[in-house]
Amino acid sequence: MTTPTPPGSVDRPLAALLAPDLLALLDESPAHVAAETEELHPHDLAAVAEALPVERVKDLLRALPPARAADLLEYLDEELRTELLEEMSTAQAAQLVSEMTPDDRADVLVELEDERADEILAVISAEARQETERLLAYDPDSAGGLMTTEFVPVSDRLPVDEALAQVRTLARGRKEAMHAIYVVDDAGVLRGVLSLRELLVAPDGVPVREVAWSEVVSVPLTADRAEVARLTAEYDLVAVPVVDEQRRIVGVITVDDVIDAMVEEQTEDVQMLGAVQPLDAPYLQAGFWSLARKRGGWLVLLFVGEMFTGTAMRHYESTLAEALILTLFIPLIISSGGNSGSQSATLITRAIAVGDVELTDAMRVLRRELLQGLVLGLVLGAIGFMRALMWNTGPDVALVVSLSLIGVVLTGTFVGAMLPLFFTRVGWDPAVASSPFVASLVDVTGLVIYFNIAIHLLNL
Protein backbone atom coordinates (compact mmCIF):
# COMPACT_ATOMS: atom_id res chain seq x y z
CA MET A 1 0.00 0.00 0.00
CA THR A 2 2.97 2.32 0.19
CA THR A 3 3.52 2.53 -3.56
CA PRO A 4 1.59 5.43 -5.10
CA THR A 5 -0.96 4.18 -7.62
CA PRO A 6 -2.09 6.41 -10.49
CA PRO A 7 -5.79 7.29 -10.53
CA GLY A 8 -7.91 4.86 -12.48
CA SER A 9 -5.27 2.13 -12.47
CA VAL A 10 -6.87 -0.17 -9.90
CA ASP A 11 -9.13 -2.67 -11.62
CA ARG A 12 -10.90 -5.57 -9.92
CA PRO A 13 -8.08 -8.14 -10.13
CA LEU A 14 -5.53 -5.65 -8.78
CA ALA A 15 -7.97 -4.53 -6.08
CA ALA A 16 -8.29 -8.14 -4.94
CA LEU A 17 -4.49 -8.36 -4.68
CA LEU A 18 -4.28 -5.15 -2.64
CA ALA A 19 -7.11 -6.11 -0.30
CA PRO A 20 -4.99 -8.44 1.93
CA ASP A 21 -2.42 -5.67 2.43
CA LEU A 22 -5.16 -3.27 3.47
CA LEU A 23 -6.61 -5.87 5.85
CA ALA A 24 -3.20 -6.38 7.45
CA LEU A 25 -2.81 -2.63 7.82
CA LEU A 26 -6.21 -2.34 9.49
CA ASP A 27 -5.26 -5.10 11.94
CA GLU A 28 -1.72 -3.97 12.76
CA SER A 29 -1.78 -0.16 12.60
CA PRO A 30 -5.17 1.36 11.73
CA ALA A 31 -3.81 4.80 12.65
CA HIS A 32 -1.55 4.62 9.58
CA VAL A 33 -4.31 3.70 7.10
CA ALA A 34 -5.01 7.30 6.09
CA ALA A 35 -1.36 8.09 5.37
CA GLU A 36 -0.71 4.81 3.56
CA THR A 37 -3.72 5.20 1.25
CA GLU A 38 -3.63 8.93 0.64
CA GLU A 39 -2.09 8.52 -2.83
CA LEU A 40 -5.01 6.37 -3.97
CA HIS A 41 -7.84 8.12 -5.76
CA PRO A 42 -11.16 7.55 -3.91
CA HIS A 43 -12.39 5.53 -6.89
CA ASP A 44 -9.40 3.20 -6.63
CA LEU A 45 -9.63 2.94 -2.86
CA ALA A 46 -13.31 2.07 -3.25
CA ALA A 47 -12.37 -0.74 -5.64
CA VAL A 48 -10.06 -2.18 -2.98
CA ALA A 49 -12.66 -1.66 -0.24
CA GLU A 50 -15.26 -3.60 -2.24
CA ALA A 51 -12.94 -6.61 -2.14
CA LEU A 52 -13.06 -6.56 1.69
CA PRO A 53 -15.68 -8.15 3.96
CA VAL A 54 -18.42 -5.67 4.83
CA GLU A 55 -17.38 -5.48 8.48
CA ARG A 56 -13.85 -4.50 7.48
CA VAL A 57 -15.15 -1.74 5.20
CA LYS A 58 -16.74 -0.28 8.31
CA ASP A 59 -13.33 -0.43 10.01
CA LEU A 60 -11.77 1.29 7.01
CA LEU A 61 -14.28 4.14 7.14
CA ARG A 62 -13.59 4.62 10.86
CA ALA A 63 -9.84 4.66 10.23
CA LEU A 64 -10.07 7.49 7.67
CA PRO A 65 -10.65 11.19 8.36
CA PRO A 66 -14.34 12.09 7.84
CA ALA A 67 -13.74 14.00 4.59
CA ARG A 68 -11.72 11.14 3.11
CA ALA A 69 -14.25 8.56 4.32
CA ALA A 70 -17.05 10.57 2.70
CA ASP A 71 -15.16 10.63 -0.60
CA LEU A 72 -14.69 6.86 -0.39
CA LEU A 73 -18.37 6.34 0.41
CA GLU A 74 -19.42 8.25 -2.71
CA TYR A 75 -17.49 5.85 -4.96
CA LEU A 76 -18.62 2.62 -3.32
CA ASP A 77 -21.06 0.27 -4.98
CA GLU A 78 -24.59 1.60 -4.40
CA GLU A 79 -25.82 -1.58 -2.70
CA LEU A 80 -22.79 -1.72 -0.38
CA ARG A 81 -23.05 1.98 0.43
CA THR A 82 -26.71 1.62 1.34
CA GLU A 83 -25.96 -1.36 3.58
CA LEU A 84 -23.19 0.54 5.38
CA LEU A 85 -25.31 3.63 5.98
CA GLU A 86 -28.20 1.50 7.22
CA GLU A 87 -26.02 -0.35 9.74
CA MET A 88 -23.72 2.40 11.07
CA SER A 89 -24.84 4.72 13.83
CA THR A 90 -26.93 7.71 12.88
CA ALA A 91 -24.25 10.06 14.19
CA GLN A 92 -21.52 8.47 12.05
CA ALA A 93 -23.75 8.39 8.97
CA ALA A 94 -24.67 12.05 9.47
CA GLN A 95 -21.01 13.00 9.86
CA LEU A 96 -20.09 11.31 6.59
CA VAL A 97 -22.95 12.68 4.48
CA SER A 98 -22.34 16.15 5.90
CA GLU A 99 -18.88 16.06 4.30
CA MET A 100 -20.36 15.39 0.87
CA THR A 101 -21.33 18.04 -1.66
CA PRO A 102 -25.06 18.84 -1.57
CA ASP A 103 -25.92 17.01 -4.80
CA ASP A 104 -23.99 13.87 -3.82
CA ARG A 105 -25.54 13.99 -0.35
CA ALA A 106 -29.02 14.07 -1.88
CA ASP A 107 -28.17 11.22 -4.27
CA VAL A 108 -26.94 9.05 -1.40
CA LEU A 109 -29.92 9.74 0.86
CA VAL A 110 -32.48 9.02 -1.87
CA GLU A 111 -31.09 5.46 -2.04
CA LEU A 112 -32.01 4.83 1.62
CA GLU A 113 -35.31 3.94 3.21
CA ASP A 114 -37.30 7.11 3.93
CA GLU A 115 -37.20 6.50 7.68
CA ARG A 116 -33.43 6.10 7.72
CA ALA A 117 -32.89 9.15 5.50
CA ASP A 118 -35.09 11.21 7.84
CA GLU A 119 -33.05 10.05 10.85
CA ILE A 120 -29.82 11.21 9.20
CA LEU A 121 -31.32 14.50 8.03
CA ALA A 122 -32.51 15.23 11.57
CA VAL A 123 -28.92 15.09 12.87
CA ILE A 124 -27.03 17.13 10.26
CA SER A 125 -26.83 20.92 10.49
CA ALA A 126 -29.96 22.94 9.77
CA GLU A 127 -28.36 24.63 6.76
CA ALA A 128 -27.26 21.34 5.21
CA ARG A 129 -30.65 19.79 5.95
CA GLN A 130 -32.58 22.58 4.25
CA GLU A 131 -30.23 22.48 1.27
CA THR A 132 -30.57 18.71 0.94
CA GLU A 133 -34.36 18.69 1.36
CA ARG A 134 -34.64 21.31 -1.37
CA LEU A 135 -32.63 19.16 -3.79
CA LEU A 136 -34.60 16.03 -2.87
CA ALA A 137 -37.82 17.83 -3.82
CA TYR A 138 -36.82 18.01 -7.50
CA ASP A 139 -37.23 15.27 -10.06
CA PRO A 140 -33.91 13.33 -10.05
CA ASP A 141 -33.78 13.51 -13.87
CA SER A 142 -34.33 17.27 -14.01
CA ALA A 143 -31.80 20.09 -13.80
CA GLY A 144 -32.94 20.75 -10.22
CA GLY A 145 -32.24 17.14 -9.29
CA LEU A 146 -28.79 17.18 -10.92
CA MET A 147 -27.51 20.52 -9.65
CA THR A 148 -25.34 21.37 -6.70
CA THR A 149 -25.98 24.49 -4.66
CA GLU A 150 -22.24 25.03 -4.24
CA PHE A 151 -21.35 27.81 -6.68
CA VAL A 152 -19.51 31.11 -6.47
CA PRO A 153 -21.60 34.27 -7.10
CA VAL A 154 -20.29 37.84 -7.01
CA SER A 155 -22.19 41.11 -7.18
CA ASP A 156 -22.09 42.88 -10.54
CA ARG A 157 -21.29 46.14 -8.70
CA LEU A 158 -18.04 44.89 -7.16
CA PRO A 159 -14.69 45.93 -8.63
CA VAL A 160 -12.41 43.11 -9.74
CA ASP A 161 -10.10 43.20 -6.70
CA GLU A 162 -12.99 43.02 -4.23
CA ALA A 163 -14.67 40.29 -6.27
CA LEU A 164 -11.45 38.27 -6.19
CA ALA A 165 -11.25 38.62 -2.41
CA GLN A 166 -14.87 37.46 -2.13
CA VAL A 167 -14.16 34.47 -4.36
CA ARG A 168 -11.24 33.45 -2.13
CA THR A 169 -13.52 33.58 0.92
CA LEU A 170 -16.36 31.64 -0.70
CA ALA A 171 -14.07 29.03 -2.23
CA ARG A 172 -12.86 27.84 1.17
CA GLY A 173 -16.19 26.22 1.89
CA ARG A 174 -16.88 24.76 -1.53
CA LYS A 175 -15.63 21.51 -3.02
CA GLU A 176 -16.73 22.02 -6.61
CA ALA A 177 -18.25 24.49 -9.09
CA MET A 178 -15.10 26.65 -9.00
CA HIS A 179 -14.82 26.46 -12.77
CA ALA A 180 -16.79 29.65 -13.29
CA ILE A 181 -17.69 32.80 -11.37
CA TYR A 182 -21.30 33.92 -11.75
CA VAL A 183 -22.12 37.63 -11.74
CA VAL A 184 -25.50 38.49 -10.19
CA ASP A 185 -27.41 41.67 -9.41
CA ASP A 186 -28.85 42.60 -6.02
CA ALA A 187 -31.87 40.34 -6.61
CA GLY A 188 -29.68 37.32 -7.44
CA VAL A 189 -30.55 37.45 -11.13
CA LEU A 190 -27.83 35.96 -13.33
CA ARG A 191 -26.17 38.77 -15.29
CA GLY A 192 -22.88 37.29 -16.47
CA VAL A 193 -20.19 34.68 -16.14
CA LEU A 194 -16.40 34.62 -16.28
CA SER A 195 -13.72 32.06 -15.61
CA LEU A 196 -11.42 32.25 -12.62
CA ARG A 197 -8.52 32.95 -14.99
CA GLU A 198 -10.37 35.87 -16.54
CA LEU A 199 -11.00 37.31 -13.10
CA LEU A 200 -7.35 36.91 -12.09
CA VAL A 201 -6.01 38.76 -15.14
CA ALA A 202 -8.65 41.53 -15.14
CA PRO A 203 -7.36 44.97 -14.02
CA ASP A 204 -8.15 46.03 -10.46
CA GLY A 205 -10.86 48.62 -9.96
CA VAL A 206 -12.85 47.70 -13.05
CA PRO A 207 -16.45 46.67 -12.24
CA VAL A 208 -16.75 42.93 -12.62
CA ARG A 209 -19.78 43.30 -14.91
CA GLU A 210 -17.55 44.93 -17.53
CA VAL A 211 -15.22 41.93 -17.80
CA ALA A 212 -17.90 39.21 -17.54
CA TRP A 213 -19.66 37.56 -20.47
CA SER A 214 -23.25 38.78 -20.50
CA GLU A 215 -24.52 35.99 -22.77
CA VAL A 216 -24.87 33.12 -20.31
CA VAL A 217 -26.11 29.67 -21.30
CA SER A 218 -28.40 28.48 -18.51
CA VAL A 219 -31.20 25.97 -17.93
CA PRO A 220 -34.43 26.17 -15.92
CA LEU A 221 -34.99 23.96 -12.88
CA THR A 222 -37.38 21.75 -14.83
CA ALA A 223 -35.06 21.11 -17.81
CA ASP A 224 -34.64 17.44 -18.68
CA ARG A 225 -31.20 15.88 -18.25
CA ALA A 226 -31.04 15.24 -22.01
CA GLU A 227 -31.42 18.99 -22.62
CA VAL A 228 -28.68 19.74 -20.08
CA ALA A 229 -26.36 17.25 -21.77
CA ARG A 230 -27.10 18.70 -25.22
CA LEU A 231 -26.30 22.27 -24.16
CA THR A 232 -23.13 21.14 -22.40
CA ALA A 233 -21.92 19.42 -25.56
CA GLU A 234 -22.94 22.21 -27.94
CA TYR A 235 -21.28 25.00 -25.96
CA ASP A 236 -18.33 23.00 -24.55
CA LEU A 237 -19.30 23.90 -20.99
CA VAL A 238 -17.73 22.61 -17.80
CA ALA A 239 -20.64 23.85 -15.68
CA VAL A 240 -24.22 24.86 -16.45
CA PRO A 241 -26.02 27.40 -14.22
CA VAL A 242 -29.58 26.56 -13.19
CA VAL A 243 -32.04 29.43 -12.85
CA ASP A 244 -35.56 29.82 -11.52
CA GLU A 245 -38.48 31.56 -13.25
CA GLN A 246 -37.03 34.99 -12.38
CA ARG A 247 -33.64 33.94 -13.79
CA ARG A 248 -32.11 33.91 -10.31
CA ILE A 249 -29.27 31.43 -10.13
CA VAL A 250 -30.10 28.61 -7.70
CA GLY A 251 -27.47 26.02 -8.56
CA VAL A 252 -24.90 24.69 -10.98
CA ILE A 253 -24.59 21.36 -12.81
CA THR A 254 -20.96 20.36 -13.14
CA VAL A 255 -19.60 18.39 -16.06
CA ASP A 256 -19.08 15.19 -14.02
CA ASP A 257 -22.79 15.12 -13.21
CA VAL A 258 -23.62 15.85 -16.85
CA ILE A 259 -21.51 12.86 -17.93
CA ASP A 260 -23.27 10.65 -15.38
CA ALA A 261 -26.63 11.88 -16.68
CA MET A 262 -25.60 11.22 -20.29
CA VAL A 263 -24.52 7.67 -19.43
CA GLU A 264 -27.82 7.01 -17.63
CA GLU A 265 -29.85 8.49 -20.49
CA GLN A 266 -28.02 6.48 -23.14
CA THR A 267 -28.21 3.30 -21.03
CA GLU A 268 -31.98 3.68 -20.74
CA ASP A 269 -32.31 4.35 -24.48
CA VAL A 270 -30.24 1.30 -25.41
CA GLN A 271 -32.24 -0.89 -23.04
CA MET A 272 -35.51 0.37 -24.47
CA LEU A 273 -34.24 -0.11 -28.01
CA GLY A 274 -33.75 -3.74 -27.02
CA ALA A 275 -37.34 -3.89 -25.68
CA VAL A 276 -36.31 -3.92 -22.02
CA GLN A 277 -37.87 -1.61 -19.45
CA PRO A 278 -34.99 0.55 -18.09
CA LEU A 279 -33.31 -1.08 -15.09
CA ASP A 280 -33.20 0.70 -11.75
CA ALA A 281 -29.70 -0.63 -11.00
CA PRO A 282 -26.64 -1.96 -12.86
CA TYR A 283 -27.25 -5.37 -14.47
CA LEU A 284 -25.35 -7.45 -11.88
CA GLN A 285 -27.01 -5.56 -9.02
CA ALA A 286 -30.56 -5.76 -10.36
CA GLY A 287 -32.81 -8.22 -8.55
CA PHE A 288 -33.57 -11.46 -10.41
CA TRP A 289 -37.35 -11.04 -10.41
CA SER A 290 -37.09 -7.32 -11.08
CA LEU A 291 -35.01 -8.08 -14.18
CA ALA A 292 -37.45 -10.79 -15.29
CA ARG A 293 -40.40 -8.43 -14.82
CA LYS A 294 -38.80 -5.64 -16.86
CA ARG A 295 -37.98 -8.05 -19.68
CA GLY A 296 -41.15 -10.11 -19.46
CA GLY A 297 -43.57 -7.23 -19.90
CA TRP A 298 -42.17 -6.30 -23.30
CA LEU A 299 -41.80 -9.94 -24.33
CA VAL A 300 -45.48 -10.59 -23.61
CA LEU A 301 -46.46 -7.47 -25.56
CA LEU A 302 -44.28 -8.49 -28.51
CA PHE A 303 -45.60 -12.05 -28.28
CA VAL A 304 -49.16 -10.78 -28.54
CA GLY A 305 -48.10 -8.67 -31.52
CA GLU A 306 -46.59 -11.69 -33.23
CA MET A 307 -49.89 -13.55 -32.75
CA PHE A 308 -51.29 -11.30 -35.46
CA THR A 309 -48.67 -12.77 -37.77
CA GLY A 310 -50.25 -16.17 -37.21
CA THR A 311 -53.68 -14.65 -37.80
CA ALA A 312 -52.49 -13.23 -41.12
CA MET A 313 -51.01 -16.60 -42.12
CA ARG A 314 -54.30 -18.32 -41.32
CA HIS A 315 -56.25 -15.74 -43.30
CA TYR A 316 -54.19 -16.55 -46.39
CA GLU A 317 -54.17 -20.30 -45.78
CA SER A 318 -55.99 -21.04 -49.01
CA THR A 319 -53.50 -18.92 -50.96
CA LEU A 320 -50.63 -20.90 -49.46
CA ALA A 321 -52.38 -24.18 -50.31
CA GLU A 322 -52.56 -23.17 -53.98
CA ALA A 323 -48.93 -21.98 -54.14
CA LEU A 324 -46.97 -23.77 -51.44
CA ILE A 325 -43.73 -22.39 -52.88
CA LEU A 326 -44.64 -19.02 -51.36
CA THR A 327 -43.89 -20.35 -47.86
CA LEU A 328 -40.19 -20.58 -48.71
CA PHE A 329 -39.91 -16.81 -48.95
CA ILE A 330 -41.95 -15.78 -45.89
CA PRO A 331 -38.90 -15.53 -43.55
CA LEU A 332 -37.05 -13.55 -46.21
CA ILE A 333 -39.92 -11.09 -46.67
CA ILE A 334 -40.77 -10.36 -43.05
CA SER A 335 -37.15 -10.20 -41.86
CA SER A 336 -36.27 -7.66 -44.57
CA GLY A 337 -39.14 -5.40 -43.49
CA GLY A 338 -38.22 -5.74 -39.81
CA ASN A 339 -34.56 -5.06 -40.46
CA SER A 340 -35.21 -1.94 -42.53
CA GLY A 341 -37.69 -0.67 -39.95
CA SER A 342 -35.24 -1.29 -37.11
CA GLN A 343 -32.57 0.66 -38.98
CA SER A 344 -34.86 3.65 -39.45
CA ALA A 345 -36.13 3.55 -35.87
CA THR A 346 -32.58 3.47 -34.50
CA LEU A 347 -31.38 6.32 -36.73
CA ILE A 348 -34.34 8.60 -36.02
CA THR A 349 -34.46 7.86 -32.29
CA ARG A 350 -30.80 8.77 -31.94
CA ALA A 351 -31.20 11.86 -34.14
CA ILE A 352 -34.04 13.06 -31.88
CA ALA A 353 -31.98 12.38 -28.76
CA VAL A 354 -29.03 14.51 -29.92
CA GLY A 355 -31.21 17.27 -31.38
CA ASP A 356 -30.46 16.57 -35.04
CA VAL A 357 -34.15 16.01 -35.79
CA GLU A 358 -37.13 17.99 -34.46
CA LEU A 359 -40.85 17.42 -34.85
CA THR A 360 -40.90 20.15 -37.48
CA ASP A 361 -38.59 17.99 -39.61
CA ALA A 362 -41.20 15.23 -39.95
CA MET A 363 -41.88 15.79 -43.66
CA ARG A 364 -38.17 15.99 -44.48
CA VAL A 365 -37.60 12.75 -42.60
CA LEU A 366 -40.55 11.11 -44.35
CA ARG A 367 -39.32 12.06 -47.85
CA ARG A 368 -35.77 11.03 -47.04
CA GLU A 369 -36.76 7.65 -45.59
CA LEU A 370 -39.21 6.84 -48.37
CA LEU A 371 -36.45 7.46 -50.92
CA GLN A 372 -34.08 5.36 -48.83
CA GLY A 373 -36.72 2.64 -48.61
CA LEU A 374 -37.26 2.71 -52.36
CA VAL A 375 -33.55 2.43 -53.17
CA LEU A 376 -32.92 -0.28 -50.58
CA GLY A 377 -36.09 -2.10 -51.62
CA LEU A 378 -34.97 -2.12 -55.26
CA VAL A 379 -31.60 -3.55 -54.26
CA LEU A 380 -33.12 -6.29 -52.12
CA GLY A 381 -35.84 -6.87 -54.69
CA ALA A 382 -33.26 -7.50 -57.41
CA ILE A 383 -31.37 -9.92 -55.16
CA GLY A 384 -34.64 -11.64 -54.19
CA PHE A 385 -35.67 -11.96 -57.84
CA MET A 386 -32.38 -13.69 -58.70
CA ARG A 387 -32.60 -15.93 -55.66
CA ALA A 388 -36.13 -17.04 -56.56
CA LEU A 389 -35.05 -17.87 -60.12
CA MET A 390 -32.16 -19.95 -58.75
CA TRP A 391 -34.76 -22.06 -56.93
CA ASN A 392 -36.57 -22.69 -60.24
CA THR A 393 -39.75 -21.01 -59.04
CA GLY A 394 -40.48 -19.38 -62.36
CA PRO A 395 -40.47 -15.68 -63.29
CA ASP A 396 -43.98 -15.04 -61.91
CA VAL A 397 -43.10 -16.11 -58.35
CA ALA A 398 -39.74 -14.34 -58.63
CA LEU A 399 -41.58 -11.12 -59.54
CA VAL A 400 -43.92 -11.57 -56.56
CA VAL A 401 -40.93 -11.91 -54.24
CA SER A 402 -39.18 -8.90 -55.79
CA LEU A 403 -42.18 -6.57 -55.62
CA SER A 404 -43.01 -7.75 -52.11
CA LEU A 405 -39.51 -6.94 -50.93
CA ILE A 406 -39.78 -3.42 -52.36
CA GLY A 407 -43.14 -2.87 -50.67
CA VAL A 408 -42.08 -4.37 -47.34
CA VAL A 409 -38.84 -2.41 -47.12
CA LEU A 410 -40.72 0.80 -47.98
CA THR A 411 -43.25 0.05 -45.25
CA GLY A 412 -40.52 -0.79 -42.75
CA THR A 413 -38.62 2.44 -43.31
CA PHE A 414 -41.86 4.45 -43.08
CA VAL A 415 -42.98 2.83 -39.82
CA GLY A 416 -39.49 2.90 -38.31
CA ALA A 417 -39.04 6.59 -39.09
CA MET A 418 -42.49 7.84 -38.13
CA LEU A 419 -43.05 5.95 -34.87
CA PRO A 420 -40.26 7.74 -32.92
CA LEU A 421 -41.60 11.10 -34.13
CA PHE A 422 -45.15 10.13 -33.20
CA PHE A 423 -44.09 9.03 -29.71
CA THR A 424 -42.18 12.28 -29.26
CA ARG A 425 -45.27 14.21 -30.33
CA VAL A 426 -47.48 12.57 -27.70
CA GLY A 427 -44.84 13.01 -25.00
CA TRP A 428 -43.45 9.46 -24.83
CA ASP A 429 -39.82 8.47 -25.00
CA PRO A 430 -39.04 7.82 -28.71
CA ALA A 431 -36.92 4.86 -27.65
CA VAL A 432 -40.24 3.07 -27.01
CA ALA A 433 -40.28 2.60 -30.80
CA SER A 434 -37.73 -0.13 -30.20
CA SER A 435 -36.42 -2.40 -32.92
CA PRO A 436 -38.40 -5.46 -31.75
CA PHE A 437 -41.58 -3.37 -31.56
CA VAL A 438 -41.14 -2.06 -35.10
CA ALA A 439 -40.20 -5.53 -36.37
CA SER A 440 -43.35 -7.08 -34.86
CA LEU A 441 -45.54 -4.43 -36.46
CA VAL A 442 -43.87 -4.72 -39.86
CA ASP A 443 -44.06 -8.54 -39.80
CA VAL A 444 -47.84 -8.43 -40.04
CA THR A 445 -47.97 -5.74 -42.72
CA GLY A 446 -45.24 -7.56 -44.64
CA LEU A 447 -47.33 -10.73 -44.87
CA VAL A 448 -50.38 -8.78 -46.01
CA ILE A 449 -48.33 -7.08 -48.75
CA TYR A 450 -46.72 -10.38 -49.82
CA PHE A 451 -49.92 -12.40 -50.10
CA ASN A 452 -51.94 -9.66 -51.78
CA ILE A 453 -49.26 -9.21 -54.45
CA ALA A 454 -49.20 -13.00 -54.92
CA ILE A 455 -52.98 -13.17 -55.25
CA HIS A 456 -53.05 -10.50 -57.95
CA LEU A 457 -50.02 -11.60 -59.96
CA LEU A 458 -50.54 -15.35 -59.70
CA ASN A 459 -54.36 -15.20 -59.99
CA LEU A 460 -54.82 -17.23 -56.82
Side-chain angles (χ1 to χ4, degrees), residues 84-399:
L84 290 169
L85 287 172
E86 293 281 359
E87 294 182 359
M88 68 177 60
S89 69
T90 302
Q92 184 186 5
Q95 182 185 37
L96 292 181
V97 300
S98 294
E99 293 288 342
M100 296 178 180
T101 57
D103 54 328
D104 289 327
R105 186 189 309 133
D107 290 342
V108 167
L109 290 177
V110 80
E111 299 165 1
L112 303 176
E113 296 291 338
D114 291 343
E115 184 178 350
R116 180 57 172 168
D118 290 340
E119 290 175 357
I120 296 173
L121 281 171
V123 178
I124 64 177
S125 68
E127 182 182 356
R129 180 170 61 254
Q130 292 173 2
E131 201 171 38
T132 305
E133 288 175 343
R134 184 156 63 102
L135 291 176
L136 289 172
Y138 298 116
D139 184 335
D141 294 334
S142 69
L146 294 173
M147 73 180 184
T148 178
T149 52
E150 287 192 346
F151 60 93
V152 182
V154 296
S155 171
D156 61 349
R157 294 185 296 134
L158 287 179
V160 166
D161 49 336
E162 291 184 26
L164 191 54
Q166 183 175 320
V167 168
R168 289 195 185 101
T169 302
L170 292 173
R172 294 191 186 100
R174 286 161 168 72
K175 283 187 175 182
E176 56 182 347
M178 283 297 298
H179 312 286
I181 313 301
Y182 297 97
V183 180
V184 298
D185 63 16
D186 294 338
V189 175
L190 184 60
R191 297 300 184 188
V193 63
L194 70 164
S195 68
L196 186 58
R197 184 190 65 81
E198 288 171 330
L199 183 61
L200 286 170
V201 301
D204 292 344
V206 176
V208 72
R209 62 174 173 269
E210 294 185 11
V211 295
W213 295 87
S214 58
E215 297 295 326
V216 188
V217 177
S218 62
V219 294
L221 284 161
T222 54
D224 183 76
R225 64 185 182 185
E227 175 67 10
V228 176
R230 184 183 67 80
L231 288 174
T232 303
E234 286 184 1
Y235 291 94
D236 295 328
L237 302 174
V238 293
V240 185
V242 182
V243 297
D244 62 13
E245 294 178 353
Q246 287 75 42
R247 279 197 56 79
R248 293 175 300 195
I249 183 169
V250 292
V252 171
I253 305 173
T254 52
V255 68
D256 58 318
D257 292 321
V258 173
I259 292 172
D260 290 341
M262 290 172 66
V263 171
E264 290 178 11
E265 183 78 17
Q266 291 171 0
T267 298
E268 288 185 6
D269 286 348
V270 169
Q271 289 170 349
M272 292 183 73
L273 284 171
V276 177
Q277 191 68 18
L279 304 182
D280 299 323
Y283 173 77
L284 291 177
Q285 297 174 24
F288 178 83
W289 292 112
S290 173
L291 185 61
R293 185 170 60 254
K294 289 179 181 296
R295 297 174 66 172
W298 272 104
L299 281 178
V300 170
L301 181 62
L302 294 173
F303 182 75
V304 171
E306 289 294 347
M307 286 182 179
F308 290 102
T309 304
T311 302
M313 292 278 289
R314 185 172 182 179
H315 179 76
Y316 294 102
E317 187 176 3
S318 59
T319 303
L320 282 172
E322 293 184 46
L324 195 59
I325 190 68
L326 294 175
T327 59
L328 297 177
F329 299 97
I330 289 176
L332 179 70
I333 300 295
I334 61 177
S335 64
S336 296
N339 291 339
S340 64
S342 298
Q343 284 183 337
S344 295
T346 301
L347 289 171
I348 303 306
T349 298
R350 185 56 183 163
I352 293 172
V354 299
D356 289 344
V357 168
E358 305 286 347
L359 287 175
T360 53
D361 299 319
M363 291 307 299
R364 290 179 60 195
V365 171
L366 177 60
R367 289 193 297 269
R368 189 180 182 88
E369 285 302 303
L370 287 180
L371 286 173
Q372 286 282 315
L374 180 60
V375 171
L376 296 172
L378 288 170
V379 172
L380 293 184
I383 297 173
F385 184 85
M386 297 301 296
R387 181 58 173 166
L389 289 180
M390 290 171 62
W391 282 355
N392 297 318
T393 60
D396 291 343
V397 172
L399 184 59

